[in-house]
Amino acid sequence: MFHRIVKPPFLNKLQWIHLGIGVLTISLLVLASVNILFTDDDWRFIIFLFATSITGFAYHQYREQSEGVKNNGVWFGSLTSRGLLAWATALGLTAFYCLLYWWPEYLGLNASGNTGLIALFDPLSMLLKKQAASQWFVYGVFYTLCILCFGYKFLLKYKHNKYQKLRTISVMFFQLFFAFLIPEWMLRMNLPYNDLKNMWPLNYYFFDAWNIESFKSSGGMGWFFLVFGLLMIFVISPSLTYFFGKRWYCSWVCGCGGLAETAGDPFRHLSDKSLKAWKLERFLIYSILLFSIVMTAGVLYTYKTGQAELFGISTAEMRKSYGFFIGAAFSGVIGVGFYPLLGSRVWCRFGCPMAAILGIQQRLFSRFRITTNGGQCISCGNCSTYCEMGIDVRAYAQKGQNIVRASCVGCGICAAVCPRGVLKLENGSIDIFDRTPEKS
Amino acid sequence: MYKTLIIGNGIAGVSCARWLRKNTDDEIQMVSQESEYFFSRTALMYVYMGHMRWQDLEPYERSFWAKNKIDLLQGKVLSIDYELKIAYLENEKTLAFDRLVLALGSKSNKFGWPGEDLEGVSGFYSKQDLEYIEQKSNNIKRAVIVGGGLIGIELAEMFHSRKIPVTILVRESEYWSSVLPPEEAAMISKHIRKNEIDLRLNCQLQSILGDQGQVNAIVTDQQEHIPCEFVGITAGVRPNIDLVKGSQLSTDKGILVDEYLQTNIPNVYAIGDCAQLTNVSKGRKAIEAIWYSGRQMGETLAANLSGNTKSYNPGIWFNSAKFFDIEYQVYGYVPSKIVAPFDSIYWEDPAGEKSIRLVYDLSNHQISGFNLMGVRFRHEVCEKWISQNSSIQEVLAKIRMAFFDPEFYPDYSSGILDAYFQKTGKKIIPKSSGKLNAVLNFLKS
């Protein structure tokens, strides 16, 4: 006898149709990679299908849903509870990242004329910057599409919450213009490629000789990029973190954060909340920060002195292994490929040296904290479960203690999912060194 | 060094154990029939709806208990010998103690309805209830919920999340109108119906019908016959004191305790839902089956057991709940019928899912309570205004300090100030921006 599925998530007919379009799109992309099916102008069709499947699915999911948080069935669905679909998705994403970083020729990259998937986006690339596409261009297109389309989904899910809507519009804006369109347009103008919001050490090639030389040789605009980059690191970013906490960057501006908050949102609850994970987090993130500082110092030393080695270690080798292990393997393959298994903020939490620096600033001197509302906490655990950074928010809330954690990116979801109105993200200057009194 | 035995590992028992551990080196043994590890009872619904897993309901990592030398045991206590100081468990196990803490919790009320013991009829209170509901609600065509309180609406939301049609029978003329003022109660009734729940007001259960021991319908007092495969009984809870009834321990509805949470037997104490206070502080009840009362009692008793004598003082009343998408908070005195010398100012959002009510004393204009639907207020600010007898005018002028909604949410102060103007003809000039610095300064002053 046929039994109807009795647990959420329930998909309606129109959602199934858009899911079908999504499967079709991915199949077409795979076919394109192996040079089947496509002519030059099909990129429009592919982008249209890609965007339609995601936005259509989201529209029909939330169209009739009343305003409010509804995580029904999150731990029942195979994709969102480390089921078969999650493993399949993680495998697919990981494979894609491996090709992208290490074997782009299988995606069709070819100096004497692209083929396959990359050739499919040559026309768009010509249109934007008058150059053939690279694997990074294709990646940028899909990355931006994901933030825009899944951002739309997020906007529908949190239609009742203005904080969530504003910061999502913000990450969509910064991705589309600062990370994608403006740098491409600069290349067209023969200026160096530069994503203004992407500062060192997240942008680990900022102090590379070729990057500095390219800025210096590009006239006034190049010098502006160089000075602005330095100002971002030493003045603008610490000031903004003082006023608002690291959230101004991590969940309002950053591209990695942007993808995590939009495409990664269905996986946020998968972050590990154990004490063990917190210990690993502190060890890894500060080790990587140290690595990035030493690597950068070495690269600058070589740039200044012409000496290839610092304390007997080749700076070029150091730079190369940082790029391989941290820049590619950690931030890309593990950071995004493992979304469906480890949660959406694995890179931000365990790896990102930028997050580490902003976190130290947030912990030591910032007006930001999450306040808890007197005795109203019922220890339900929604806040901890949906914290993408794996913070055990409940442990603080049930004690009536404010939350000031280096890792908190200020996404505000804990406050949104709290059924008792216990949490609020706030900024105040008068108690910066005494923000976390324990009340009971 | 004493050996303290705590029966029950809910929020009251666990709070007592944690604070006792902080303050002393006593041996602490906890025993619970329901579960080995402490979990948040208030969040049971979220497991059924798939928001959380069972382990997400446990507020402490499992290693916490051994690390803090709190011994846990899952088992049923059958009887207690107060003279010999021994608790007898199933399987002939015994536990000796110097001091005994009874934190037995509640159980669902049943009123002797015909058919209430059929398969498919259950309250919703314990881990076992959740497991039973999970098993009995699979693939059913309709569930009927009897009683219009906070657990009833949770159960309705749970079934709704699985697309099971729900009927709720409520004795009152609006949902929870025994507690909420009329406008708020009507708002909730409307919201429940918006969520496709078949809400029957002024309607009582007459009997539950079954077939081969399994429920298949209910009959209302209006002789309506409603087919259903599950009946949720959510007509309140009462202290779970079967273990101690008829012993030399003094009981009434609950276990009688003084303000030090001491029973009539030396070295025996009762806390949480099962305790009935003989000396009740103003604005509070003798039995309060409330999460934070359990927490406060546990903490107070732990202080007393560590030689730091402290009487139980729950402070100014507050509570909160959620009715589908509408959050509810209350601070201070807000009766369902507001009569002289009290009066109130009420603002409701045009969309009808948010409201603010300020209750005050007409004779001296002092604020007495806040009732919020769909709007979050700051507990400490409201509490301070109430405890220092602030005037309604002062509260209104600084009302922004009370808002606790997330950043960028609308500011409702003009709405509530308008409502005051409509009522009294007096205009009030806002005096505070509501910024955190202002709030911190006010709380410190």
Side-chain angles (χ1 to χ4, degrees):
Chain A
M1 204 185 107
F2 178 75
H3 281 275
R4 71 185 172 103
I5 301 162
V6 291
K7 284 181 180 184
F10 301 112
L11 268 58
N12 58 44
K13 210 185 283 169
L14 286 159
Q15 278 179 280
W16 280 111
I17 290 172
H18 285 93
L19 198 61
I21 298 175
V23 171
L24 175 74
T25 313
I26 291 170
S27 314
L28 290 177
L29 286 169
V30 172
L31 289 176
S33 312
V34 291
N35 293 305
I36 303 179
L37 266 176
F38 284 99
T39 62
D40 277 3
D41 269 345
D42 285 342
W43 63 272
R44 289 197 192 88
F45 178 60
I46 282 285
I47 287 180
F48 172 77
L49 279 186
F50 190 86
T52 303
S53 69
I54 299 168
T55 54
F57 183 91
Y59 178 75
H60 293 291
Q61 180 176 2
Y62 295 108
R63 190 167 56 111
E64 280 172 11
Q65 197 172 86
S66 56
E67 294 190 358
V69 170
K70 285 171 198 68
N71 286 315
N72 296 342
V74 163
W75 284 104
F76 301 147
S78 175
L79 181 64
T80 53
S81 65
R82 296 194 193 104
L84 203 62
L85 277 179
W87 281 91
T89 309
L91 257 158
L93 281 171
T94 305
F96 170 72
Y97 270 95
C98 290
L99 292 179
L100 182 74
Y101 280 113
W102 299 309
W103 296 287
E105 59 273 21
Y106 290 100
L107 297 172
L109 185 72
N110 192 330
S112 58
N114 290 330
T115 58
L117 183 62
I118 294 177
L120 187 62
F121 286 88
D122 275 340
L124 177 60
S125 184
M126 291 305 285
L127 200 69
L128 285 170
K129 61 179 169 189
K130 294 187 175 164
Q131 287 171 21
S134 67
Q135 80 271 37
W136 301 119
F137 179 79
V138 176
Y139 180 53
V141 169
F142 281 103
Y143 199 100
T144 307
L145 272 173
C146 279
I147 291 188
L148 294 179
C149 297
F150 285 108
Y152 170 73
K153 180 171 185 276
F154 195 90
L155 288 171
L156 295 179
K157 181 175 177 184
Y158 288 98
K159 56 190 166 189
H160 60 290
N161 190 316
K162 210 167 168 197
Y163 180 77
Q164 297 305 333
K165 285 195 290 190
L166 285 176
R167 76 176 177 85
T168 303
I169 291 167
S170 173
V171 292
M172 290 161 80
F173 168 83
F174 278 104
Q175 177 60 34
L176 179 60
F177 291 101
F178 281 66
F180 184 62
L181 289 179
I182 295 174
E184 298 299 342
W185 175 78
M186 283 172 180
L187 286 177
R188 189 193 176 106
M189 298 283 115
N190 282 321
L191 288 165
Y193 176 94
N194 190 28
D195 173 356
L196 279 168
K197 67 176 173 50
N198 193 12
M199 68 192 123
W200 180 90
L202 180 57
N203 174 1
Y204 55 88
Y205 59 73
F206 186 82
F207 291 108
D208 278 4
W210 63 267
N211 193 47
I212 298 178
E213 284 304 325
S214 130
F215 282 160
K216 281 162 83 174
S217 63
S218 303
M221 201 55 151
W223 280 102
F224 168 73
F225 289 160
L226 193 58
V227 172
F228 185 79
L230 292 170
L231 279 178
M232 275 291 272
I233 300 161
F234 295 108
V235 182
I236 300 173
S237 126
S239 311
L240 286 170
T241 306
Y242 164 76
F243 282 108
F244 308 111
K246 76 196 247 191
R247 59 187 171 143
W248 76 268
Y249 189 73
C250 296
S251 63
W252 283 72
V253 171
C254 178
C256 304
L259 192 71
E261 293 293 342
T262 52
D265 176 64
F267 309 111
R268 57 169 53 249
H269 55 285
L270 299 171
S271 60
D272 190 336
K273 277 86 188 179
S274 68
L275 207 58
K276 234 162 125 184
W278 187 15
K279 282 181 184 159
L280 180 68
E281 166 192 322
R282 282 177 294 184
F283 170 73
L284 275 178
I285 197 166
Y286 295 121
S287 308
I288 290 170
L289 174 62
L290 190 69
F291 186 11
S292 81
I293 290 171
V294 171
M295 180 274 286
T296 305
V299 166
L300 275 174
Y301 173 78
T302 302
Y303 177 63
K304 269 276 156 227
T305 63
Q307 302 282 327
E309 290 187 348
L310 180 64
F311 306 119
I313 304 166
S314 155
T315 61
E317 280 304 314
M318 218 155 49
R319 168 64 183 75
K320 217 173 121 193
S321 41
Y322 187 89
F324 178 82
F325 288 109
I326 311 301
F330 203 153
S331 81
V333 180
I334 298 174
V336 181
F338 287 21
Y339 268 13
L341 302 176
L342 300 175
S344 52
R345 285 275 194 176
V346 170
W347 161 246
C348 314
R349 180 184 179 193
F350 295 97
C352 178
M354 185 77 241
I357 292 180
L358 296 175
I360 293 168
Q361 293 168 358
Q362 169 161 288
R363 185 75 188 78
L364 295 183
F365 60 89
S366 170
R367 296 154 49 110
F368 174 72
R369 86 290 311 270
I370 303 174
T371 42
T372 53
N373 203 9
Q376 291 280 24
C377 177
I378 51 167
S379 300
C380 74
N382 274 293
C383 52
S384 295
T385 303
Y386 288 92
C387 177
E388 55 189 349
M389 296 303 285
I391 299 171
D392 189 1
V393 184
R394 166 173 56 191
Y396 303 88
Q398 65 190 357
K399 287 192 278 189
Q401 192 177 7
N402 292 345
I403 299 139
V404 179
R405 277 276 292 267
S407 62
C408 175
V409 292
C411 69
I413 294 295
C414 56
V417 297
C418 176
R420 295 291 187 272
V422 174
L423 302 158
K424 181 176 180 180
L425 280 55
E426 297 195 83
N427 311 301
S429 61
I430 63 174
D431 59 347
I432 282 173
F433 301 106
D434 181 30
R435 284 170 290 171
T436 58
E438 201 170 327
K439 282 169 201 156
S440 65
Chain B
M1 206 171 89
Y2 294 101
K3 182 167 179 160
T4 303
L5 173 63
I6 303 172
I7 304 179
N9 70 350
I11 181 66
V14 158
S15 299
C16 180
R18 278 199 326 109
W19 284 95
L20 200 56
R21 174 52 66 243
K22 280 192 183 185
N23 301 340
T24 71
D25 292 325
D26 285 5
E27 255 181 76
I28 303 172
Q29 171 76 58
M30 301 193 75
V31 54
S32 161
Q33 184 186 352
E34 187 180 16
S35 63
E36 184 176 1
Y37 294 97
F38 169 52
F39 67 92
S40 177
R41 187 176 306 291
T42 49
L44 285 171
M45 64 183 289
Y46 298 112
V47 173
Y48 185 88
M49 299 202 298
H51 295 208
M52 290 193 272
R53 298 162 299 174
W54 180 264
Q55 62 261 44
D56 301 323
L57 261 51
E58 293 176 359
Y60 301 94
E61 277 189 43
R62 291 187 169 183
S63 59
F64 172 89
W65 306 101
K67 205 156 69 188
N68 286 281
K69 293 200 202 103
I70 296 171
D71 288 329
L72 305 180
L73 178 68
Q74 189 172 0
K76 185 176 180 175
V77 178
L78 299 174
S79 65
I80 300 160
D81 189 320
Y82 299 103
E83 254 93 75
L84 293 175
K85 297 194 171 183
I86 292 174
Y88 298 94
L89 278 68
E90 293 173 311
N91 306 327
E92 292 173 16
K93 218 178 246 168
T94 58
L95 291 171
F97 58 85
D98 301 315
R99 304 191 295 197
L100 177 66
V101 178
L102 299 165
L104 307 172
S106 294
K107 59 192 225 176
S108 302
N109 276 332
K110 284 186 178 181
F111 294 101
W113 289 294
E116 68 180 22
D117 294 322
L118 286 164
E119 281 293 318
V121 181
S122 173
F124 181 48
Y125 177 81
S126 65
K127 183 184 186 208
Q128 285 70 27
D129 289 342
L130 177 71
E131 288 160 356
Y132 186 76
I133 292 169
E134 178 73 60
Q135 178 203 334
K136 289 289 173 185
S137 64
N138 193 42
N139 242 334
I140 63 172
K141 292 192 196 70
R142 178 165 295 275
V144 171
I145 294 166
V146 182
L150 297 180
I151 300 180
I153 191 113
E154 285 184 5
L155 209 45
E157 193 178 346
M158 285 158 58
F159 291 139
H160 183 65
S161 80
R162 296 204 183 180
K163 301 205 169 187
I164 298 167
V166 178
T167 299
I168 311 183
L169 310 185
V170 174
R171 200 174 47 179
E172 289 84 15
S173 60
E174 292 288 0
Y175 202 88
W176 218 35
S177 56
S178 55
V179 174
L180 294 173
E183 287 84 356
E184 285 92 327
M187 177 190 288
I188 297 306
S189 298
K190 210 172 114 196
H191 186 66
I192 290 171
R193 289 191 166 130
K194 194 181 118 184
N195 280 282
E196 297 150 2
I197 306 293
D198 170 29
L199 174 63
R200 310 286 180 98
L201 298 168
N202 300 307
C203 183
Q204 295 191 55
L205 176 69
Q206 183 164 312
S207 62
I208 304 171
L209 308 178
D211 176 32
Q212 298 177 346
Q214 162 71 41
V215 60
N216 67 3
I218 59 111
V219 182
T220 70
D221 60 350
Q222 287 130 23
Q223 303 310 316
E224 195 179 346
H225 193 273
I226 303 174
C228 61
E229 295 77 28
F230 184 87
V231 177
I233 303 285
T234 59
V237 294
R238 62 171 186 271
N240 175 30
I241 55 169
D242 295 347
L243 173 65
V244 295
K245 246 185 189 164
S247 67
Q248 60 264 54
L249 197 71
S250 292
T251 60
D252 175 32
K253 281 180 181 142
I255 301 166
L256 294 171
V257 291
D258 62 16
E259 63 269 39
Y260 304 103
L261 306 165
Q262 163 83 53
T263 67
N264 64 312
I265 302 174
N267 295 315
V268 179
Y269 308 83
I271 51 176
D273 289 13
C274 71
Q276 180 175 349
L277 293 157
T278 51
N279 189 359
V280 185
S281 54
K282 190 181 156 248
R284 311 291 307 208
K285 292 191 179 114
I287 301 171
E288 283 179 354
I290 291 200
W291 185 260
Y292 75 86
S293 307
R295 188 175 62 210
Q296 290 174 334
M297 283 190 189
E299 193 183 333
T300 303
L301 178 60
N304 286 325
L305 294 179
S306 350
N308 174 18
T309 308
K310 195 171 157 187
S311 64
Y312 174 63
N313 175 18
I316 290 165
W317 168 255
F318 68 93
N319 202 6
S320 60
K322 195 173 180 188
F323 303 91
F324 282 87
D325 296 323
I326 300 182
E327 287 173 21
Y328 154 71
Q329 293 182 336
V330 60
Y331 301 105
Y333 176 69
V334 180
S336 60
K337 287 190 186 64
I338 299 168
V339 293
F342 294 98
D343 200 353
S344 76
I345 300 160
Y346 181 74
W347 165 83
E348 190 174 302
D349 183 64
E353 300 203 326
K354 292 176 191 297
S355 71
I356 299 171
R357 182 187 297 275
L358 271 57
V359 181
Y360 61 105
D361 188 328
L362 267 175
S363 63
N364 54 17
H365 301 283
Q366 285 173 1
I367 188 80
S368 73
F370 301 82
N371 206 57
L372 298 316
M373 313 297 303
V375 178
R376 298 172 173 183
F377 263 29
R378 204 183 286 268
H379 185 178
E380 285 128 322
V381 168
C382 295
E383 191 179 64
K384 186 153 180 176
W385 277 331
I386 295 167
S387 68
Q388 64 185 28
N389 298 321
S390 299
S391 72
I392 179 80
Q393 290 90 349
E394 190 194 335
V395 168
L396 284 168
K398 294 182 179 170
I399 195 74
R400 282 188 182 131
M401 289 203 310
F403 293 145
F404 200 71
D405 277 333
E407 292 155 296
F408 309 115
Y409 267 47
D411 175 353
Y412 311 110
S413 59
S414 62
I416 188 80
L417 292 181
D418 262 3
Y420 184 72
F421 180 72
Q422 299 293 331
K423 186 156 194 138
T424 63
K426 284 181 204 152
K427 265 215 148 70
I428 288 186
I429 315 292
K431 271 187 205 149
S432 172
S433 65
K435 292 221 166 91
L436 181 61
N437 278 355
V439 172
L440 291 171
N441 280 326
F442 170 71
L443 291 174
K444 277 180 193 162
S445 68

